[in-house]
Amino acid sequence: MNKAAFRILLLCCCCLGPGVYAGQAQIQGVKLYAVEGGERVVFSLNKKVRYKLFVLSDPERVVIDFLDARLKASTRKLNYRDSTLARIRSAPRRRHDLRVVLDLKAKHVPKSQWLPDPGGRGYQLHIDLKPAAAAPARPRVVKAPLTPEAPAQPHPKNRPLSKPRPAKPALRDVIVAVDAGHGGSDPGAQGPRGTKEKDITLAMARKLAGLINKEPGMRAVMIRDGDYRVRLRTRIERARKHKADLLVSIHADAFRDPRAHGSSVYVLSRKGASSEAARWLAASENASDLIGVDMDGTDDEVLREVIFDLYQDATVQDSIYAGGKVLKHLRAVSRLHRPGVEHAPFAVLKAPDVPSILVETAFISNPEEEARLRSGAGQQRMARAIFQGIRDYFHDNPPRGTKLAAMNQERRHVIARGDTLSKIAGRYGVSVATLRAANGLRSDRLFVGNVLRIPLLDGG
């Protein structure tokens, strides 16, 4: 079998149903069912589609990529109270495809199959989730009971010491690597008034780091904290060394036309991701370290590429999600150069295991925007908008083992009879508008048993 055929077979190994189809499929319903030994997620579609299913850890999740499909059904009313799932989320992918992520409360093994819809209206994709096999329990030694007349009293010196309970692992802060672009002999772009990009980016990076460090459960690491040059590869290495959960690189755009204006957010392009994958795979021990797969035991080059590609694709998708959150808040303080997150092969975005975004805060070549970049108040507004996007991203996706993850678990409210939005908002010290936004509510109507996410902070 040649490599091209093997790649097609591998990518389609979990895809059932015909490979030729016309028109975009619709997921018309999503339901959860308890089944023997686990739980079942059922997607109802009007037709079969190709899909890819894989598992990611830290945090545990199952990812399903539906090819040429869109989600028509709502998942907001699903009840996760007694579920294996923490939630179901989705996002468009590569324009016509759809990624659905099942966030799990514990590690489970998925198994999928197509079945005809009982009502004859299409097909159902069943995803069965079974708990991962637990380690076998140690055999317990049962001693014969002592007679009540002569209870044995062990000598104090021979009395066994009680084993201390294992301490719970300490929760850590979320780490954000803040990268001020350029520096030292590399001044970056220059504005009409002589403003240097390296000075603006450092000032905003320091302000952003200050806001992050004031946020409970979050900590900033400065990649550059002075006027000196840092190699692009070194920036990535420093973010990885500090085990950063997100890398944010701050820049100021420039163009030959001084009328160019607006803020932009970039994530790694597919081309940039592919070149970086090749670099990592050239040293298979590094790739094995990164994704926890024994690459040395994988002889086929195509298989190794696909495994790494799936891993890196998840990082890029997280980057896109974080970039979208930041862009949403930038819109409130600045005009946008482009309405959505953009893709580019910037070297600083190429850490395969660290979600990374590059923020072009404004056009330093535009006299009006240069003035705002030079202003301390303007820098603070921009830094706060970026911070709010970062905060939203981590509140939605807190990494496992962090203080934010623990706080988010505690800040959930199960709706009881008699609850109202205003009553719940007053109890937790947030506004009704914040509750609506955090839970995607279009009205004040509540359903008993549903769970509301309570934001840790109210508003901006």
Side-chain angles (χ1 to χ4, degrees), residues 189-197 364-366 370:
Q190 189 164 312
R193 294 177 58 185
T195 310
K196 294 177 180 177
E197 182 181 1
I364 200 171
S365 54
N366 180 305
E370 179 192 22

Side-chain angles (χ1 to χ4, degrees), residues 4-149:
F6 183 83
R7 184 187 295 274
I8 294 170
L9 175 63
L10 183 66
L11 291 177
C12 297
C13 64
C14 58
C15 306
L16 304 178
V20 180
Y21 51 93
Q24 196 172 37
Q26 295 180 354
I27 298 179
Q28 300 169 327
V30 183
K31 293 185 179 180
L32 307 179
Y33 297 96
V35 294
E36 184 178 357
E39 190 165 356
R40 176 172 295 160
V41 185
V42 176
F43 297 92
S44 298
L45 292 88
N46 60 332
K47 59 193 292 185
K48 283 186 180 180
V49 295
R50 290 186 295 148
Y51 68 94
K52 294 191 293 184
L53 184 149
F54 55 97
V55 176
L56 297 173
S57 298
D58 295 323
E60 302 297 336
R61 53 206 188 276
V62 173
V63 181
I64 311 106
D65 285 339
F66 292 94
L67 306 187
D68 202 16
R70 67 186 180 94
L71 182 64
K72 186 178 179 182
S74 172
T75 59
R76 290 176 185 159
K77 295 182 181 180
L78 292 174
N79 187 354
Y80 305 112
R81 186 175 183 181
D82 298 315
S83 174
T84 295
L85 282 75
R87 63 174 175 164
I88 297 177
R89 51 193 169 95
S90 64
R93 184 172 180 271
R94 297 173 184 167
R95 293 192 178 182
H96 302 294
D97 301 339
L98 177 73
R99 167 161 289 184
V100 177
V101 180
L102 311 181
D103 288 323
L104 306 176
K105 298 173 183 175
K107 188 171 184 176
H108 281 66
V109 178
K111 184 179 179 182
S112 62
Q113 66 171 332
W114 282 111
L115 290 173
D117 186 277
R121 294 184 295 272
Y123 293 86
Q124 291 183 345
L125 178 63
H126 288 204
I127 310 289
D128 283 357
L129 302 169
K130 303 290 185 181
R138 291 183 179 180
R140 186 166 60 94
V141 178
V142 180
K143 295 183 178 179
L146 298 171
T147 59
E149 292 82 5

